[in-house]
Amino acid sequence: MKERTRPMTIDDYAGVYQLWRDTPGIGLNNLDDSMEGIERYINRNPTTCFVYEDANAEIIGTILCGHDGRRGYLHHTAVKVSERGKGVGTALVDAAVEALQKERITKAALVVFANNEPGNTFWENYGFTVREDLTYRNMILTV
Ligand SMILES: CC(C)(COP(=O)(O)OP(=O)(O)OC[C@H]1O[C@@H](n2cnc3c(N)ncnc32)[C@H](O)[C@@H]1OP(=O)(O)O)[C@@H](O)C(=O)NCCC(=O)NCCS
């Protein structure tokens, strides 16, 4: 079998979750990143989430991506440590961007920890610029 990027399904959850757990820089949340939370996300965004499989069908990279009809958002981009620097991350972002473009989404955004230097370099080099004029705000909605 050849290495490939393919759409993520909920059947990939165990492999993907393990990869996230092994990846510092990915902030995991008990609710949103539970199997139920990820299933809900994939059901809403069935064409824009991807995994990268190696020749043995092991998941070595993943990206969650979705949109709200106006803006695209990328989350939890992760590549297995031993496989970094080989273009896997770029292939996953390419797939997500192409999938958003097919749905006529014209802008995409993401959040990355400010102290994640390699992560920020990756996004900067890909073309995701920093908006100095904006402040990221959020609010917890759980009761
Ligand atoms: C960020 C990450 C997804 C990149 O995946 P990758 O498969 O290694 O990336 P690529 O091989 O496609 O690299 C593309 C470019 O990104 C930059 N880059 C990637 N890793 C880098 C690093 N450690 N330091 C500096 N630049 C880096 C380089 O410009 C690289 O291009 P080059 O190889 O021509 O120099 C991966 O390092 C990772 O999983 N990091 C931990 C999780 C994380 O921080 N995710 C992003 C924040 S949400």
Side-chain angles (χ1 to χ4, degrees):
M1 205 178 128
K2 278 181 67 176
E3 295 191 2
R4 61 176 180 153
T5 306
R6 64 163 173 80
M8 177 178 167
T9 75
I10 196 59
D11 294 338
D12 298 315
Y13 180 77
V16 165
Y17 192 76
Q18 187 62 46
L19 181 54
W20 287 336
R21 280 190 54 172
D22 292 343
T23 305
I26 301 293
L28 290 176
N29 166 311
N30 284 346
L31 288 176
D32 302 336
D33 297 312
S34 65
M35 189 163 182
E36 190 193 355
I38 295 300
E39 186 163 30
R40 200 169 61 235
Y41 190 85
I42 293 175
N43 285 343
R44 261 186 74 100
N45 302 285
T47 62
T48 48
C49 300
F50 294 91
V51 294
Y52 192 102
E53 283 181 339
D54 70 9
N56 301 314
E58 183 193 342
I59 292 172
I60 58 167
T62 183
I63 190 167
L64 289 183
C65 173
H67 70 82
D68 56 17
R70 178 180 171 89
R71 297 289 178 247
Y73 299 94
L74 309 182
H75 311 269
H76 289 8
T77 309
V79 174
K80 190 176 172 181
V81 175
S82 59
E83 306 300 327
R84 289 184 190 167
K86 301 178 184 174
V88 173
T90 301
L92 286 163
V93 183
D94 284 348
V97 165
E98 203 175 299
L100 289 174
Q101 287 168 329
K102 274 194 191 142
E103 304 207 12
R104 298 170 58 206
I105 297 298
T106 58
K107 262 192 193 179
L110 59 90
V111 173
V112 52
F113 288 114
N115 65 0
N116 180 350
E117 272 187 42
N120 275 292
T121 304
F122 172 76
W123 291 118
E124 186 69 29
N125 289 357
Y126 193 92
F128 283 81
T129 54
V130 175
R131 288 287 299 262
E132 303 285 0
D133 56 333
L134 300 179
T135 300
Y136 179 73
R137 289 183 187 272
N138 73 357
M139 188 172 89
I140 307 293
L141 301 183
T142 48
V143 282

